[in-house]
Amino acid sequence: MSIFGWCSQRAGGLAMMATVALSYWVISSELEAQRHGYKYQSNDSLSAPNYDPQNGAIWVNIFSYYCLLIHFLVFCFPLRSCYAVFTIGRQLRKSARARTLKDIKFGHRRRSSSTSLSSSETLTSSRDLSSSSSSEIEDVDTDCYIDGDIAPDRVIHAIVIPNYKEENDTLRETLEVLASHPQARNTYDVYLAMEQREHNAETKASRFVNEFSKKFRSINYTLHPSDIPGELAGKGSNMAWAARKLSERYSLGQRKDVIVTGIDADSHLSTNYFGLVTTMHMTYTDTATTTLYSAPIIFDRNAHNVPAIVRVADVLWSAAGMSGLYKGSTVAPPTSVYSVPLELVDRVGGWDCDAEAIGEDLHMYLKCFFALNGNLTVRTVMSPVSQTNVTGGGHGKGIPGLIADVQARYKQALRHMWGALDTGYALRKVVEVWRERKHTSRAFRPLHTALNDASDGYVPESQVSTADPEAAPESGIFSDVTTDTLKGVNYERMIVLFHRLFEAHFLPVQMTILVVASTLYAWVTDGAPDVHGVNWMFSICNILRTVGFMEVALYLFLYESFHKVCLEIREKEMSDAGLTKGMHFSRREVKTNFIDYIMVPLVAPIFGSIPCAQAQLYHFWTVDLVYTVSKKATRRRAKSVNMDSLV
């Protein structure tokens, strides 16, 4: 590995060490100046003290301006999150109201078709209802409702569910939710991505395939081998193997209308998630094969059964995920659940399997982003994905249970922060994009062909240099080659991307260091003249810090409305599907809200700064992390009864 490659993987740790060193040097220098600025001079000496306040002034200025920059970023992040949760919540309310009015409208029409209109009053009320519902529906953004004129069966949804040692009830519940969707029989190809290292994984998968075979277009399973060299066990490597296998099932003619969706084993998707993806895929044909679809997540199933500190950590984690999903955002990395056209999967070579891909959602986003020179289109699916809070099984077990739940959430936070390796990956990719900026012709083959064929390293020049990307490829071994010409490098989006990566992987630690350092600097220089002229910056930092806390409080306030509308939508859908029995619904209450607000100052360091710093330090020794499966809440079912117990 080159020096640049080694440093890029440890960019977070190097930045942390540099910030600590800068802070230490500035504070110690100022402390030394305050102590020895005027020292004892001999009687025959009338000279002034030899301390020059301008010595080291450049480092003090760098420290001060950097501190101001970090505080400004901390001010911007919750502000953007507030805007995102407000706009998403508003669109969800409009969509829900439009769907309700539409149901009423069509229900009224069905009733009217069997009875005659006996008065002008009835006719007037019908017109008013139609008019109001039409105006409500037209007020909803086109990306927020399903277009009934689009053929629903044209787009196939390949749904991959990576899992390892997941409880049967967790998987069954997720499959039942998917099977309740009206389009499941016609458009859902479900793939249970199993791990070979799990005992009886094949038997477990076969049982689910038999149970749900008539509820989907198809349901299959893949078995990811445990002995592939260079692979790190985790969701990314499992997704990669499943994608290779499912790729074999779709012809060249089908691939442009096949969309691969990766979900967690506990993810509950709304009935309109895939309908919205289909609508956007068919509406925006120019970018259909270069679009990644992501949705906001909500923890609304077992939040009432986990400690407040864990609950708030996940509320703020959903804020991080939603911060890029507002309308007009050009950089929107997904969280847990996302959809990618199969042709885009072919273009980028599928999912990566190494240590850097442990955060497979962000890593796949980056891979697609740089493969398209930053011109990846992102669209938000206005259909929140229901998730469960991580738990250590500590509910109802007092202090030991609290500790178990906090430990489980900390392990998950460490795994999230381990994704700082993706910043290094992005740094190396941007260098690669710069080197290849003048070469925009690309050729790629179906994923399974490219990985299985030893000749995939050679593509005829005619396939790359063809002027018409839509022209039919030559027959023979290269008949499956797709050619394309990329747009120029989008540097503006790349700047925005690195800003978001800095927020995710650097800001938690940098902010903590500089809050402590700026406080110590103010204490050291208290009462001394402002020889460097930087005190005004620290005054602004104090203001930004205070406003930042107020913005977090505002986000929590806005989140209450978002949580409520998401829960109402899911509860109605589960009720219509007959799945509410034993299903978890976590409602927000004033008492729990008050406790949550108090926990915010503790959450940031415990599940943000500390695991972030730990991950960045560990990267100096290893980039491998053992992936562990978090315990998840499942629907409460009746316990099985043993025959011996009846005797």
Side-chain angles (χ1 to χ4, degrees):
M1 179 182 290
S2 65
I3 295 178
F4 174 70
W6 187 91
C7 291
S8 65
Q9 284 189 329
R10 294 150 183 86
L14 293 172
M16 177 174 60
M17 294 173 61
T19 304
V20 170
L22 175 64
S23 302
Y24 175 79
W25 193 94
V26 169
I27 293 171
S28 60
S29 297
E30 288 299 313
L31 185 61
E32 195 71 15
Q34 294 298 321
R35 287 181 177 178
H36 306 291
Y38 292 93
K39 60 183 181 180
Y40 177 78
Q41 304 287 333
S42 59
N43 293 334
D44 58 348
S45 174
L46 298 177
S47 60
N50 62 358
Y51 170 68
D52 183 0
Q54 296 305 315
N55 287 338
I58 185 174
W59 296 111
V60 174
N61 282 303
I62 290 174
F63 170 78
S64 304
Y65 278 105
Y66 184 60
C67 189
L68 181 61
L69 172 64
I70 293 298
H71 279 78
F72 179 73
L73 294 178
V74 170
F75 162 80
C76 290
F77 169 71
L79 188 64
R80 195 174 69 249
S81 298
C82 288
Y83 176 71
V85 72
F86 172 75
T87 55
I88 293 173
R90 183 176 62 180
Q91 288 291 350
L92 289 174
R93 285 189 293 272
K94 285 184 178 180
S95 299
R97 178 169 173 77
R99 289 170 63 186
T100 301
L101 290 174
K102 189 175 181 180
D103 291 342
I104 295 173
K105 173 184 174 181
F106 290 129
H108 181 81
R109 284 181 176 176
R110 286 192 295 269
R111 290 192 299 271
S112 298
S113 64
S114 60
T115 59
S116 61
L117 296 175
S118 59
S119 67
S120 60
E121 181 180 356
T122 307
L123 182 60
T124 303
S125 64
S126 177
R127 286 174 180 169
D128 291 343
L129 184 59
S130 255
S131 175
S132 64
S133 62
S134 295
S135 63
E136 285 287 348
I137 294 172
E138 289 171 1
D139 191 38
V140 181
D141 190 274
T142 55
D143 291 356
C144 302
Y145 70 90
I146 300 171
D147 190 347
D149 296 332
I150 292 177
D153 299 349
R154 178 174 169 180
V155 176
I156 299 172
H157 293 281
I159 305 169
V160 183
I161 309 177
N163 64 96
Y164 173 62
K165 293 185 177 180
E166 297 286 357
E167 296 182 9
N168 287 337
D169 284 348
T170 300
L171 280 173
R172 181 174 286 106
E173 186 175 75
T174 299
L175 291 171
E176 286 177 348
V177 171
L178 287 173
S180 70
H181 297 180
Q183 66 271 39
R185 285 288 302 274
N186 297 322
T187 63
Y188 290 9
D189 287 345
V190 177
Y191 299 89
L192 299 175
M194 314 299 292
E195 289 282 0
Q196 190 181 60
R197 55 201 172 97
E198 178 182 350
H199 181 63
N200 289 332
E202 195 167 1
T203 303
K204 177 181 178 181
S206 298
R207 186 167 57 249
F208 283 119
V209 169
N210 293 331
E211 182 178 349
F212 290 91
S213 60
K214 296 182 179 180
K215 297 185 178 181
F216 300 108
R217 182 177 182 271
S218 71
I219 178 170
N220 296 278
Y221 70 89
T222 61
L223 205 59
H224 176 223
S226 57
D227 56 352
I228 299 179
E231 285 196 357
L232 185 72
K235 183 179 176 182
S237 56
N238 202 346
M239 279 289 298
W241 182 261
R244 297 172 197 171
K245 294 302 178 181
L246 71 86
S247 173
E248 299 173 359
R249 300 191 59 203
Y250 304 105
S251 65
L252 282 177
Q254 288 180 302
R255 302 181 83 82
K256 63 186 178 73
D257 288 326
V258 176
I259 299 178
V260 181
T261 300
I263 70 174
D264 289 345
D266 65 326
S267 298
H268 287 188
L269 277 68
S270 173
T271 56
N272 67 336
Y273 176 92
F274 295 103
L276 291 171
V277 172
T278 298
T279 298
M280 289 186 283
H281 178 79
M282 301 300 294
T283 301
Y284 305 104
T285 55
D286 291 343
T287 58
T289 59
T290 58
T291 299
L292 183 145
Y293 305 92
S294 56
I297 60 172
I298 180 171
F299 298 89
D300 64 346
R301 301 232 292 283
N302 66 323
H304 57 289
N305 289 332
V306 298
I309 192 169
V310 173
R311 183 167 59 246
V312 175
D314 287 327
V315 169
L316 296 180
W317 177 248
S318 68
M322 281 190 289
S323 64
L325 300 182
Y326 58 89
K327 186 176 180 180
S329 175
T330 57
V331 175
T335 306
S336 299
V337 175
Y338 55 98
S339 300
V340 188
L342 182 55
E343 191 168 311
L344 182 55
V345 175
D346 291 339
R347 179 192 293 270
V348 303
W351 280 258
D352 286 342
C353 308
D354 57 4
E356 287 185 322
I358 190 169
E360 117 297 334
D361 44 11
L362 175 58
H363 192 83
M364 186 59 172
Y365 175 87
L366 294 175
K367 201 173 182 184
C368 296
F369 182 90
F370 288 107
L372 296 170
N373 281 348
N375 294 295
L376 174 68
T377 302
V378 287
R379 300 195 189 281
T380 301
V381 185
M382 290 297 174
S383 179
V385 178
S386 173
Q387 304 272 43
T388 59
N389 301 82
V390 64
T391 174
H395 179 60
K397 297 182 181 178
I399 299 299
L402 170 65
I403 295 174
D405 285 344
V406 171
Q407 287 178 337
R409 183 61 182 84
Y410 184 87
K411 288 181 180 178
Q412 187 183 55
L414 180 62
R415 191 171 72 241
H416 290 160
M417 295 304 177
W418 206 266
L421 291 169
D422 276 324
T423 298
Y425 173 78
L427 287 170
R428 296 193 301 278
K429 293 301 289 186
V430 77
V431 172
E432 181 181 321
V433 167
W434 170 258
R435 290 174 177 172
E436 297 292 328
R437 66 189 182 280
K438 296 182 180 179
H439 303 94
T440 57
S441 296
R442 295 291 186 272
F444 55 92
R445 307 176 70 180
L447 181 63
H448 63 282
T449 305
L451 293 174
N452 295 334
D453 189 351
S455 66
D456 70 286
Y458 168 74
V459 177
E461 184 67 22
S462 60
Q463 294 294 336
V464 180
S465 59
T466 179
D468 183 10
E470 300 298 328
E474 61 186 59
S475 60
I477 191 173
F478 297 107
S479 60
D480 58 356
V481 173
T482 301
T483 59
D484 192 14
T485 300
L486 296 181
K487 295 180 181 179
V489 180
N490 194 322
Y491 294 106
E492 180 181 350
R493 288 189 183 180
M494 290 196 177
I495 293 173
V496 175
L497 173 69
F498 278 98
H499 164 236
R500 302 290 170 82
L501 291 175
F502 187 89
E503 278 185 342
H505 301 149
F506 291 73
L507 197 57
V509 171
Q510 298 290 309
M511 181 61 185
T512 302
I513 294 172
L514 291 174
V515 165
V516 175
S518 61
T519 302
L520 290 175
Y521 181 86
W523 174 73
V524 168
T525 60
D526 184 37
D530 183 18
V531 294
H532 301 292
V534 297
N535 283 354
W536 64 274
M537 283 187 272
F538 293 108
S539 298
I540 294 177
C541 288
N542 291 334
I543 296 173
L544 292 175
R545 199 156 55 225
T546 303
V547 175
F549 278 116
M550 295 172 64
E551 290 171 349
V552 173
L554 175 61
Y555 167 80
L556 292 174
F557 173 77
L558 295 172
Y559 178 84
E560 304 299 339
S561 176
F562 169 77
H563 186 97
K564 181 179 179 181
V565 68
C566 291
L567 191 67
E568 289 174 350
I569 292 172
R570 188 171 72 88
E571 191 167 16
K572 183 180 184 305
E573 290 183 357
M574 294 299 98
S575 177
D576 293 342
L579 297 176
T580 54
K581 185 177 181 180
M583 186 75 74
H584 295 264
F585 298 95
S586 295
R587 294 172 176 80
R588 303 277 295 169
E589 299 176 356
V590 176
K591 180 181 178 181
T592 57
N593 295 352
F594 180 74
I595 297 174
D596 290 355
Y597 298 154
I598 297 176
M599 289 293 166
V600 170
L602 295 176
V603 168
I606 294 177
F607 299 120
S609 304
I610 296 175
C612 186
Q614 181 181 349
Q616 292 175 0
L617 288 174
Y618 277 19
H619 288 164
F620 284 105
W621 286 271
T622 180
V623 295
D624 296 336
L625 178 68
V626 178
Y627 193 97
T628 56
V629 178
S630 304
K631 183 178 177 61
K632 302 174 178 68
T634 58
R635 191 167 54 183
R636 296 183 293 272
R637 299 179 180 271
K639 294 182 178 179
S640 58
V641 180
N642 191 311
M643 291 300 296
D644 295 337
S645 64
L646 300 178
V647 179

